[in-house]
Amino acid sequence: MAKTTSVARRIQATRRLVRDGATADDVDRAKRRLDAVFSAYPGIVAERSRLRAEADGFVVTCAFGAGNLGRAAAWAVDFIADRVGASASTDADTTRVRCSATQFVQFQNSLYYASELQVGRRPNAKVSERPLPTLLGRALGAFAHHYDSTRGEDTSIPPLAVWANALRAIEAEGTDQRQLSRRTVTSKRVAEVVVSRLERRGTVWVAAKAIPGRRGKARIVRLTPDGRAARKAAARLVDTVQEDWRRRFGNDGIVQLRDALSRVVDRLPVELPHYVTGYGAGDPSVTGGDYVVEDPGPPRIPAHGQDWPVVIREPGSAAADLPLPALLSQVLAAFAIDYERERLGHLSVVSNFLRFVGDQGVTLARAQALGGVSGNGKTLHERHLDVVVEPGRARAKDRRVYLTPKSRRMRDAYPHLVAEIERRWCEEHGDALPAMRSALAAMDERFDDDLPDYPDTNGWIHRLWFD
């Protein structure tokens, strides 16, 4: 796993700069690192870029090369300068950024964050067959689509993710909201939003209850009569779709797939969600980053955010009886965790977005369809400097969108990295992996072409049943 500073800690450091201002050490560190950042940012000509100290701050001069890389680098510098509150002036192929000490440190940190220094790399490779996570993701997406098609306009039946990540886990006598997060293996922030929306819909009711030996009161979540009916209807529909799949794909194929998935799930060190879900509304990662560093174990506990529950898999727990979507979800989530620990991007983002943006860029309309990029500087991929958008009129959908250097690295590393993880899994799980791939590939030939490579992990929280 690549050894770099935690993203959470860099964000905390930037917030401290905003609050307290840059120290002399901060400035010295930024000065020493600036040349390395210039050299690791294709499109910036390092030999012609420099820093000059003035009485009231600094002037950072960035010179740009020709072509798409230089153009994208110039737009990124302008965007970062505006974001940190510095003034920028452009002359031909050069931009000068005038900034205070604090703005300079923030500017350098952001340029570093967008550069190749932010991520590792993998050898060049090509995808010769559909990667395993794509097969898993398309199968889970196909099951959810079949489920939605079968329930049709019946709004009394919840979407698959709502059942899997909420209703299924609420006990008859009620469940502490904290425990609901653990029972569904979703972050506390996701559980809070979901419970709030379920309560507003009338599916659950929440009561405060004193717990002996615990400060304050617990929030106990109980199903209403409508909630109990919805849970039963969803469970029946899952069974119906599973039987439909046995008829469609053949019992032998489904048995082979379930057996292979179960063997992998039984060996996972921690429990994972029954419908793969992001850490929060704006965070597509499974575990929420690396605020808490990985514990190599055994059991190995992945790096995770403060709000992600670590639920150790109980010895002897068997996955064989789980519904098919729960098996698919847990194996896909496990693959995503192994992918993301290499610090080469979120598997969902690379799979569904970055892979489809070439060095020539795409139109804003295409970037919006693929990754939700709006061009206003506020969307996830703009704020995290995954992309840079051509300046222009807000509603002009023909503006160009380019990947930043770190995102190009993530995109280019994808083919080698997914193959590398699958090889490791084959060594760990033996013949379960070839059996899984064979069963999924046979099914995949009959799925719709427009299924995403990775299912939507966050949309279910905000739309559909809650509207």
Side-chain angles (χ1 to χ4, degrees):
M1 181 174 67
K3 303 293 185 183
T4 59
T5 306
S6 162
V7 172
R9 286 166 175 75
R10 285 198 299 273
I11 292 172
Q12 286 181 327
T14 300
R15 288 173 176 166
R16 180 182 55 75
L17 285 172
V18 172
R19 184 180 66 246
D20 302 330
T23 67
D25 286 344
D26 294 326
V27 174
D28 287 343
R29 191 179 304 111
K31 286 180 180 177
R32 290 194 302 269
R33 199 164 59 171
L34 188 60
D35 286 341
V37 174
F38 284 153
S39 298
Y41 204 114
I44 293 180
V45 181
E47 296 78 9
R48 295 171 48 211
S49 301
R50 60 187 63 87
L51 171 69
R52 185 177 76 248
E54 296 190 340
D56 57 347
F58 297 91
V59 176
V60 183
T61 300
C62 299
F64 308 106
N68 291 333
L69 291 181
R71 189 178 304 115
W75 294 343
V77 166
D78 284 344
F79 176 80
I80 293 169
D82 180 69
R83 188 162 76 169
V84 304
S87 63
S89 58
T90 301
D91 179 20
D93 63 351
T94 301
T95 295
R96 292 176 178 83
V97 180
R98 296 183 177 274
C99 45
S100 66
T102 297
Q103 291 169 342
F104 163 62
V105 176
Q106 292 174 304
F107 176 86
Q108 184 275 325
N109 284 344
S110 294
L111 202 63
Y112 170 89
Y113 189 53
S115 76
E116 293 179 343
L117 295 175
Q118 171 63 20
V119 293
R121 70 184 311 163
R122 287 296 188 277
N124 291 335
K126 292 184 178 180
V127 176
S128 58
E129 57 185 351
R130 273 198 163 142
L132 181 61
T134 296
L135 294 173
L136 290 162
R138 283 173 53 82
L140 181 58
F143 193 100
H145 178 72
H146 191 159
Y147 176 99
D148 285 337
S149 297
T150 304
R151 76 185 180 104
E153 301 298 322
D154 189 348
T155 58
S156 67
I157 305 176
L160 179 62
V162 176
W163 171 74
N165 287 339
L167 302 184
R168 167 192 68 81
I170 300 174
E171 298 175 311
E173 66 276 14
T175 299
D176 186 335
Q177 185 169 303
R178 294 185 186 181
Q179 289 302 312
L180 182 62
S181 172
R182 293 182 60 81
R183 289 172 62 84
T184 59
V185 201
T186 55
S187 69
K188 294 176 184 177
R189 61 189 66 183
V190 167
E192 287 173 0
V193 171
V194 170
V195 168
S196 173
R197 299 193 175 204
L198 288 174
E199 186 178 20
R200 195 159 61 238
R201 183 182 169 85
T203 308
V204 304
W205 62 277
V206 182
K209 180 180 179 181
I211 303 294
R214 176 169 154 185
R215 295 179 62 185
K217 291 186 177 181
R219 286 171 53 84
I220 305 301
V221 183
R222 290 184 173 88
L223 292 172
T224 64
D226 284 348
R228 289 193 294 272
R231 181 170 67 180
K232 289 179 181 178
R236 286 195 299 267
L237 187 51
V238 168
D239 289 340
T240 298
V241 175
Q242 289 187 127
E243 288 305 311
D244 287 348
W245 274 38
R246 287 185 184 278
R247 290 190 291 270
R248 180 181 180 188
F249 300 111
N251 186 67
D252 290 347
I254 295 297
V255 168
Q256 176 182 328
L257 177 59
R258 287 187 59 89
D259 177 68
L261 292 168
S262 299
R263 288 164 61 188
V264 173
V265 171
D266 281 337
R267 297 191 61 181
L268 296 177
V270 296
E271 296 284 353
L272 294 170
H274 284 206
Y275 190 92
V276 62
T277 294
Y279 184 67
D283 188 343
S285 67
V286 176
T287 64
D290 56 2
Y291 185 86
V292 180
V293 299
E294 178 183 312
D295 180 351
R300 177 167 71 88
I301 298 173
H304 57 277
Q306 286 180 303
D307 285 349
W308 192 75
V310 175
V311 183
I312 304 298
R313 189 173 296 277
E314 293 291 335
S317 61
D321 295 331
L322 292 176
L324 182 58
L327 294 172
L328 290 166
S329 173
Q330 291 191 72
V331 176
L332 178 58
F335 199 103
I337 288 170
D338 279 5
Y339 189 99
E340 289 162 10
R341 73 193 293 254
E342 302 296 332
R343 298 182 184 277
L344 282 163
H346 302 312
L347 180 59
S348 59
V349 172
V350 181
S351 296
N352 288 345
F353 179 31
L354 302 186
R355 289 199 303 125
F356 301 101
V357 183
D359 288 345
Q360 72 281 6
V362 294
T363 63
L364 178 57
R366 177 66 171 156
Q368 191 165 41
L370 288 171
V373 177
S374 70
N376 63 5
K378 298 178 181 179
T379 56
L380 175 70
H381 297 301
E382 294 170 88
R383 289 187 289 106
H384 283 269
L385 296 171
D386 297 328
V387 300
V388 59
V389 183
E390 178 182 7
R393 291 180 293 107
R395 296 183 181 277
K397 298 299 183 181
D398 58 344
R399 294 156 63 192
R400 301 296 292 178
V401 177
Y402 295 93
L403 300 183
T404 58
K406 71 168 181 179
S407 293
R408 288 197 296 272
R409 278 276 186 92
M410 293 174 184
R411 176 199 65 192
D412 296 343
Y414 173 85
H416 187 276
L417 183 52
V418 290
E420 174 185 308
I421 295 171
E422 186 170 346
R423 284 194 297 271
R424 290 204 305 257
W425 276 32
C426 283
E427 294 173 1
E428 182 178 353
H429 299 291
D431 60 0
L433 262 290
M436 182 190 305
R437 169 174 279 283
S438 173
L440 287 168
M443 296 167 64
D444 189 71
E445 294 177 356
R446 302 177 63 181
F447 292 153
D448 293 339
D449 289 337
D450 59 356
L451 283 171
D453 286 1
Y454 197 98
D456 182 0
T457 60
N458 298 90
W460 68 272
I461 303 171
H462 299 291
R463 60 173 185 265
L464 297 176
W465 213 47
F466 299 122
D467 294 341

